[in-house]
Amino acid sequence: MDHDDLQGALTTEEMLDLDQRLELIDAMSLGMVEGFVTAVFINPRQVPAEEFFPWIWDPEIGEAEPSLEDQAELEGTFFLLSRFVANVALDLSQSLHSFEPLFLRDPGLASSVDWCNGFMTGTRFHMELWERVAKEAPELFEAIGRLGDADDDADREELERLVAPSVLGIAIELDAQREGD
């Protein structure tokens, strides 16, 4: 697979296709993948793909390989997923200040709860940094942590609007923590 093949955002149809493919193999949902890789990519310490991709396939323990008997189907799933992940990385590196989670860009493609669960799963890499930020600035994690418990639509919508600024604040704090090492 050529690096240029990974360029360009997935269309809505491709994202729906990818989400269905992921569901068939009991992997993370599309929204969960975006939240997960967002946490992985804002981490100032690089996490190699071979360390984080197993968690996409196996969100519980990060050990299973994708299980599809049809090799072409597996390659197609991996290609779409790789393009999606590459695009998230590019978006975050170019415009973190204007980042908008998938559940806000296209609510039909992702749930905010899945996105936040994925984000929190992505904090497992270099946990000491995440723990320091959570201890020093717990308010940055409040919206992400509370979304699953939102009682009504108005509360949920308010929390959803706070996710992107929280991600930006967390990224800034993570960078400051790294520089303090």
Side-chain angles (χ1 to χ4, degrees):
M1 183 176 351
D2 188 336
H3 178 67
D4 290 337
D5 291 342
L6 297 178
Q7 299 298 315
L10 269 62
T11 65
T12 300
E13 292 77 24
E14 288 173 319
M15 285 191 280
L16 285 168
D17 181 32
L18 176 57
D19 195 40
Q20 290 172 345
R21 289 169 181 254
L22 293 170
E23 185 178 342
L24 284 174
I25 57 174
D26 293 323
M28 288 183 174
S29 68
L30 190 64
M32 194 171 184
V33 170
E34 188 187 72
F36 175 73
V37 297
T38 296
V40 167
F41 294 140
I42 67 169
N43 191 325
R45 294 184 184 160
Q46 186 175 4
V47 180
E50 60 269 9
E51 287 184 37
F52 73 79
F53 257 89
W55 288 94
I56 294 172
W57 306 124
D58 180 12
E60 297 298 319
I61 57 175
E63 293 181 4
E65 292 290 321
S67 58
L68 281 173
E69 291 181 21
D70 182 344
Q71 187 63 28
E73 187 74 20
L74 179 61
E75 288 175 8
T77 301
F78 188 76
F79 176 72
L80 287 172
L81 180 61
S82 296
R83 272 186 54 210
F84 182 75
V85 168
N87 193 60
V88 172
L90 182 64
D91 286 350
L92 290 169
S93 69
Q94 291 182 341
S95 58
L96 183 58
H97 285 74
S98 60
F99 170 75
E100 187 176 40
L102 182 59
F103 63 83
L104 290 176
R105 294 189 320 268
D106 195 336
L109 285 173
S111 85
S112 56
V113 173
D114 279 357
W115 194 99
C116 291
N117 287 337
F119 185 87
M120 293 309 294
T121 300
T123 66
R124 71 178 312 98
F125 303 100
H126 308 295
M127 286 186 74
E128 68 285 350
L129 280 172
W130 290 96
E131 289 170 352
R132 284 196 308 243
V133 170
K135 183 178 178 184
E136 293 180 17
E139 69 280 2
L140 293 174
F141 290 88
E142 187 174 345
I144 294 168
R146 286 187 41 219
L147 249 165
D149 298 327
D151 292 332
D152 59 38
D153 287 344
D155 188 32
R156 182 183 43 75
E157 288 173 9
E158 177 60 29
L159 291 170
E160 286 176 345
R161 283 192 292 276
L162 296 172
V163 170
S166 295
V167 168
L168 177 59
I170 291 167
I172 291 167
E173 287 297 318
L174 284 167
D175 270 344
Q177 289 294 328
R178 181 196 60 184
E179 290 170 8
D181 285 348

